[in-house]
Amino acid sequence: SRLNCNLPYPTCLNVCMSGSALSCEECLIIHPSCAWCAQEKFGSARTLMSRCDLRQNLQKRGCEAHHMESPSSSTTVVKSEPLSSKGSGPTQYDVIQIMPQKISLSLRPGDQTSFKVQVRQVEDYPVDLYYLMDLSLSMKDDLDTIRNLGTKLADEMRKLTSNFRLGFGSFVDKNMSPFSYTARKYQDNPCNGYKLFPSCVPSFGFRHLLSLTDKVDRFNEEVQKQMVSRNRDAPEGGFDAILQAAVCKERIGWRKEAFHLLVFATDDVPHLALDGKLGGLVQPHDGECHMNEKNEYSGSTNMDYPSLALLGEKLAANNIYLIFAVTKRLYVIYKNFTALIPGTTVEILDQDSKNIIQLIVNAYNSIRSKVELTVWDQPEDLSLSFTATCQDGQPLPGLRKCADLKIGDTVSFDVSIDARGCPAPGTQQSFTIKPVGFKDRLEVSVDYRCACGCTDQTQANSTHCSSIGQYTCGICRCDPGYLGARCECQEGEAGSMYLSACRQAEGMQICGGRGECSCNQCLCYESEFGKIYGTFCECDDFSCARHKGILCSGHGECHCGECKCHAGYIGDNCNCSTDTSSCVSDDGQICSGRGSCACGRCQCTEPGAFGDTCEKCPTCPDACGTKRECIECRLFSSGRLSDNQTCQRLCKDEIITVETLKTDDPNAVLCLYKTENECVMKFTYSEHANGMSVLTALKEPECGAAPDAMTVLLAVVGSILLVGIVLLAIWKLVITVHDRREFARFQSARSRARYEMASNPLYKQPISNDYVETDFSMYSKSYNGAAH
């Protein structure tokens, strides 16, 4: 059977038979489902690969079970002592916070196996705290503030642990140009001529002042002695100091059985690797301890500043949690550093360090509420994947971290592992899994199941091989110059009886045109591109899909024209990762439930959704509903998320409360909902340019008293009467105006009629000639009088 659709390949190709395995060991590497039959009489001479097949196919073809070679991966627990519950007291040196402690893996390439790791942060665990302070001139007021820090800090920390020790160190910068003042007049007093503070001590790189001790008065005494210094440029040499405090374990006094905290207090940015070239320092930092007899860093003017990678490596190797205590303006810079240095947190320090005690307590509680696994010395041919199960009991694939824990909580991680190949025989490999900042670790030793047991029964010059070859695992390995299943042919022999066995089908080329037929079998040509193989030279390891010019994207192997992807990758060219950890949103959903995860990236399908995990969607139908739950639990401690831990974990948006809500912002979505007591709560939801979601809500819901029924009735009746009266008045006004206009028009017409009917006063009847003169004169007088 050349097809088997139970195999995890889209073409249902029987990968075992297409892999051209010429030995038992080659068969085991092809795929974990492949088995080799070492039975003497099995298969046919024409099909050289028939011994490598699926186990069920071999059984169907007559191979007995005890002749099959098909090892599988396994896990053996070597040491597993139970987790401890308390850290201090007589058992403090036997505290166990990870289980198991040792396991052994036996891996067959491609065959995945898994094991479980449990972690618990025990109560009352010893704490070592080393306070590393910037003593440049700008920190003078901070130095005055911490004069009595030791006593106060010890009192607060004893509320968290009964076993606390405190140490102290300081730093400024490299005492060389251009980092510090090096002119002769500044050698003893860099503040010479500085009016605001005329006296200070010379610059220094790092100075260890007090080893870790439970006598906190010693801390106060050392602080009282200190004076500030002055360097030239703004950045400080704090990373030099951090590295020395981490690697000089004996000088500092770090205990193996303790929780290590390194508090780094400063008000400016640090110098980074390569900055030392400004002063001519081209030698990279070697990561070693360089403390002289005065407990001062002796390599300050010889080596460059350490890199972030080197810092992270040394802090992790010595189980040290680093706390950046920095002023507000530097918060973003140091927050970016925490993403590059595992086990690091950042807190905002007041300008005069007044809040340093609360800052340390908060950072300690934050660190103790998280568990994150790291892998050390992982072999390149091993692939590991994690699934975290935190306090809620829900598995989170792809995650190796749990947060929001209480001290004493137990979390577990399922670790899946598979090998991608076989190292040289006899190779012993191992790696370590440890929680960040813990001394506890899980040691994992690995051996590989790449060999077949039948090779132990190899027969030299066996009669099965015509006495001219080795018989091993059911096949012959012929001496040079001989060929054939039983070494029955010599090289160069050819004939028609052999040629037919070298054609895949009648009419096709011999050996597919990519080889020669010799003694019943194809000898494939060599190729500069890769290997040609197969019964009829029909396969090769270079004719597969490529991605950006790389065969199988570098994440798979080419087998007979098809990419066989390594664990964690799929696709025709293996360019698509199956890891979904980058798609998990804060609420634990894949792509916030608004999209799908493809090749490790979210593809948002909900209109209006965006963000790395589709977490932002102001216009989504459920946006107001989702944010409403956060408003209820954050402002009023009510609703479905009223549990404080759940609310803090899922509702991380900034909420601003106001007396009056402005709704004129075009980028904000207005949300309203009715509370249980029939009031209306209003808030707006918007996304800032920096990617933060901001909710602006009323301090209290808007509530209105219900109107009185009689008042409403009287208001309605009164309104109807008022409207009627107003309409009557308007009607009366219109009629009155109309009548007056008609009366005026009538009076005007009447006047015209009277004038037309009356005689003209200027007209007189004609008279006789005797009176013409007299009358005329009279008329003239009358006229003139009228004119005057």
Side-chain angles (χ1 to χ4, degrees):
S1 169
R2 290 194 59 81
L3 294 179
N4 190 309
C5 292
N6 292 324
L7 281 175
Y9 297 101
T11 59
C12 300
L13 179 68
N14 186 336
V15 65
C16 303
M17 295 187 66
S18 64
S20 185
L22 299 179
S23 67
C24 181
E25 286 76 11
E26 291 180 9
C27 180
L28 298 185
I29 294 176
I30 293 175
H31 192 269
S33 63
C34 297
W36 177 271
C37 182
Q39 190 170 302
E40 180 180 344
K41 296 180 179 180
F42 179 79
S44 63
R46 290 187 57 188
T47 310
L48 296 178
M49 291 181 293
S50 62
R51 290 183 179 274
C52 185
D53 203 343
L54 301 173
R55 189 178 185 91
Q56 59 267 32
N57 290 350
L58 293 176
Q59 288 178 339
K60 290 178 182 178
R61 290 160 51 199
C63 185
E64 298 175 2
H66 64 276
H67 285 299
M68 288 189 194
E69 297 283 346
S70 182
S72 58
S73 298
S74 62
T75 300
T76 303
V77 177
V78 178
K79 182 179 181 182
S80 181
E81 297 182 4
L83 297 172
S84 304
S85 58
K86 195 170 183 180
S88 293
T91 61
Q92 72 178 68
Y93 300 107
D94 301 319
V95 171
I96 297 173
Q97 298 182 96
I98 188 171
M99 184 179 74
Q101 295 81 43
K102 287 184 180 181
I103 62 174
S104 175
L105 301 178
S106 184
L107 301 179
R108 176 179 173 179
D111 186 21
Q112 191 176 83
T113 188
S114 62
F115 53 89
K116 178 173 287 188
V117 180
Q118 290 184 305
V119 182
R120 176 191 296 163
Q121 296 221 43
V122 300
E123 299 178 8
D124 197 23
Y125 198 64
V127 175
D128 287 347
L129 188 150
Y130 191 77
Y131 192 83
L132 186 56
M133 184 175 182
D134 178 1
L135 283 187
S136 58
L137 191 57
S138 57
M139 293 287 284
K140 180 181 183 303
D141 55 344
D142 303 74
L143 183 60
D144 296 335
T145 302
I146 69 163
R147 297 289 185 188
N148 296 312
L149 172 65
T151 304
K152 298 177 182 177
L153 181 59
D155 290 341
E156 288 296 323
M157 291 301 295
R158 286 194 181 103
K159 298 177 183 178
L160 305 173
T161 176
S162 61
N163 194 334
F164 175 69
R165 298 202 311 176
L166 185 63
F168 182 58
S170 62
F171 67 92
V172 182
D173 206 347
K174 296 181 182 296
N175 192 15
M176 60 186 297
S177 182
F179 312 114
S180 299
Y181 292 92
T182 57
R184 182 172 298 176
K185 68 175 182 177
Y186 296 125
Q187 287 183 355
D188 296 326
N189 181 14
C191 297
N192 188 6
Y194 186 60
K195 296 181 180 179
L196 296 178
F197 195 77
S199 178
C200 57
V201 299
S203 299
F204 56 90
F206 165 62
R207 187 172 289 159
H208 171 53
L209 301 169
L210 177 66
S211 298
L212 292 163
T213 178
D214 55 3
K215 298 177 176 61
V216 295
D217 291 340
R218 290 282 314 282
F219 181 93
N220 298 335
E221 292 172 6
E222 282 300 330
V223 174
Q224 297 287 345
K225 300 175 186 177
Q226 302 311 307
M227 292 182 63
V228 294
S229 182
R230 185 187 184 198
N231 59 323
R232 192 165 199 166
D233 59 351
E236 319 290 7
F239 280 7
D240 270 343
I242 292 174
L243 185 63
Q244 293 304 298
V247 299
C248 298
K249 296 180 288 187
E250 290 75 14
R251 295 287 185 96
I252 304 299
W254 296 114
R255 291 178 292 178
K256 184 178 179 181
E257 294 79 14
F259 195 80
H260 302 160
L261 294 179
L262 177 57
V263 180
F264 178 80
T266 184
D267 64 347
D268 222 318
V269 296
H271 275 297
L272 304 175
L274 301 183
D275 285 358
K277 289 188 175 182
L278 296 172
L281 301 179
V282 295
Q283 180 183 348
H285 205 292
D286 60 7
E288 301 297 328
C289 177
H290 296 278
M291 298 280 285
N292 59 24
E293 64 279 358
K294 296 180 180 179
N295 279 335
E296 292 185 357
Y297 174 40
S298 59
S300 180
T301 56
N302 300 325
M303 290 183 289
D304 192 8
Y305 298 96
S307 65
L308 290 172
L310 182 60
L311 273 184
E313 176 188 342
K314 296 303 179 181
L315 289 170
N318 294 284
N319 308 316
I320 295 174
Y321 280 104
L322 176 61
I323 302 172
F324 288 125
V326 299
T327 51
K328 187 173 183 179
R329 70 181 181 88
L330 303 174
Y331 179 82
V332 174
I333 296 175
Y334 281 90
K335 185 66 175 176
N336 293 335
F337 288 156
T338 64
L340 303 173
I341 306 176
T344 306
T345 59
V346 58
E347 299 287 342
I348 296 178
L349 181 70
D350 287 349
Q351 289 294 339
D352 57 358
S353 297
K354 285 184 179 179
N355 67 329
I356 186 64
I357 293 178
Q358 190 59 45
L359 180 152
I360 293 173
V361 172
N362 291 343
Y364 174 80
N365 289 331
S366 175
I367 291 170
R368 294 279 278 167
S369 69
K370 294 181 291 189
V371 169
E372 181 177 4
L373 296 186
T374 58
V375 182
W376 288 71
D377 302 323
Q378 178 179 341
E380 292 183 359
D381 59 349
L382 295 185
S383 176
L384 277 72
S385 60
F386 293 80
T387 298
T389 304
C390 303
Q391 70 276 17
D392 57 2
Q394 297 297 319
L396 301 172
L399 295 185
R400 58 173 75 180
K401 177 179 179 180
C402 284
D404 300 327
L405 303 176
K406 296 178 182 177
I407 294 177
D409 284 350
T410 302
V411 295
S412 63
F413 301 87
D414 288 309
V415 185
S416 298
I417 181 170
D418 66 85
R420 293 190 291 266
C422 288
T427 301
Q428 294 292 327
Q429 293 185 332
S430 63
F431 61 93
T432 301
I433 296 177
K434 65 189 296 290
V436 175
F438 285 47
K439 73 174 181 65
D440 307 78
R441 63 189 63 203
L442 166 61
E443 297 177 358
V444 184
S445 60
V446 182
D447 66 78
Y448 296 83
R449 307 200 68 178
C450 298
C452 297
C454 57
T455 57
D456 296 336
Q457 302 173 8
T458 299
Q459 302 174 14
N461 299 321
S462 172
T463 55
H464 294 290
C465 305
S466 306
S467 299
I468 48 176
Q470 285 185 340
Y471 181 73
T472 178
C473 295
I475 61 172
C476 287
R477 293 181 179 174
C478 303
D479 292 345
Y482 292 90
L483 301 171
R486 293 290 178 263
C487 305
E488 68 275 19
C489 300
Q490 287 186 329
E491 290 184 0
E493 292 183 358
S496 59
M497 62 176 293
Y498 298 122
L499 296 180
S500 61
C502 295
R503 289 189 177 94
Q504 194 165 11
E506 190 66 31
M508 296 186 67
Q509 287 183 294
I510 293 175
C511 298
R514 303 202 297 179
E516 295 180 353
C517 184
S518 177
C519 195
N520 204 28
Q521 51 189 327
C522 288
L523 300 179
C524 302
Y525 298 137
E526 293 183 359
S527 172
E528 58 181 326
F529 302 108
K531 178 183 177 183
I532 298 175
Y533 58 91
T535 305
F536 308 103
C537 301
E538 74 277 13
C539 295
D540 60 58
D541 60 1
F542 52 82
S543 297
C544 289
R546 297 172 183 265
H547 180 65
K548 296 182 178 180
I550 301 176
L551 189 69
C552 300
S553 305
H555 300 305
E557 307 295 336
C558 182
H559 288 296
C560 204
E562 182 182 4
C563 287
K564 305 304 176 187
C565 303
H566 295 156
Y569 293 91
I570 58 174
D572 293 339
N573 53 15
C574 303
N575 68 324
C576 186
S577 172
T578 59
D579 184 15
T580 60
S581 60
S582 59
C583 296
V584 178
S585 54
D586 288 340
D587 59 3
Q589 297 189 74
I590 298 294
C591 300
S592 304
R594 301 189 182 110
S596 59
C597 187
C599 299
R601 299 184 66 181
C602 280
Q603 295 181 350
C604 305
T605 55
E606 183 77 26
F610 64 98
D612 291 340
T613 57
C614 305
E615 74 280 8
K616 304 180 186 304
C617 187
T619 59
C620 284
D622 63 339
C624 285
T626 302
K627 302 304 178 184
R628 166 189 173 174
E629 294 177 342
C630 292
I631 292 288
E632 289 178 333
C633 77
R634 290 273 296 277
L635 297 185
F636 307 111
S637 299
S638 62
R640 187 176 65 87
L641 306 178
S642 57
D643 176 67
N644 187 49
Q645 287 189 354
T646 305
C647 185
Q648 293 298 324
R649 179 167 58 87
L650 298 182
C651 300
K652 299 179 180 178
D653 297 335
E654 179 183 1
I655 299 179
I656 302 173
T657 56
V658 295
E659 296 287 351
T660 305
L661 189 66
K662 295 180 180 180
T663 59
D664 54 355
D665 185 358
N667 297 320
V669 177
L670 177 62
C671 300
L672 303 91
Y673 69 91
K674 186 176 290 186
T675 64
E676 295 178 354
N677 54 1
E678 300 301 319
C679 297
V680 176
M681 184 63 189
K682 298 180 181 179
F683 63 93
T684 60
Y685 168 38
S686 62
E687 298 284 348
H688 279 194
N690 60 5
M692 293 293 294
S693 300
V694 178
L695 304 177
T696 304
L698 291 174
K699 284 187 177 179
E700 296 293 339
E702 294 179 347
C703 300
D708 183 67
M710 184 58 70
T711 302
V712 173
L713 179 61
L714 292 176
V716 172
V717 174
S719 299
I720 295 173
L721 291 175
L722 180 60
V723 171
I725 293 172
V726 170
L727 291 176
L728 285 174
I730 293 173
W731 178 80
K732 180 64 176 174
L733 178 62
V734 171
I735 293 300
T736 301
V737 171
H738 179 269
D739 288 349
R740 288 183 178 178
R741 286 180 179 175
E742 289 299 319
F743 181 73
R745 192 178 296 116
F746 169 75
Q747 289 287 64
S748 176
R750 182 179 179 188
S751 298
R752 286 197 301 272
R754 186 184 302 120
Y755 178 78
E756 292 172 357
M757 294 174 60
S759 60
N760 191 341
L762 299 179
Y763 177 79
K764 285 187 180 293
Q765 292 290 333
I767 58 176
S768 63
N769 290 336
D770 294 338
Y771 295 96
V772 168
E773 183 177 353
T774 305
D775 291 340
F776 183 76
S777 63
M778 291 177 65
Y779 175 77
S780 299
K781 290 179 181 179
S782 177
Y783 181 80
N784 291 333
H788 289 292

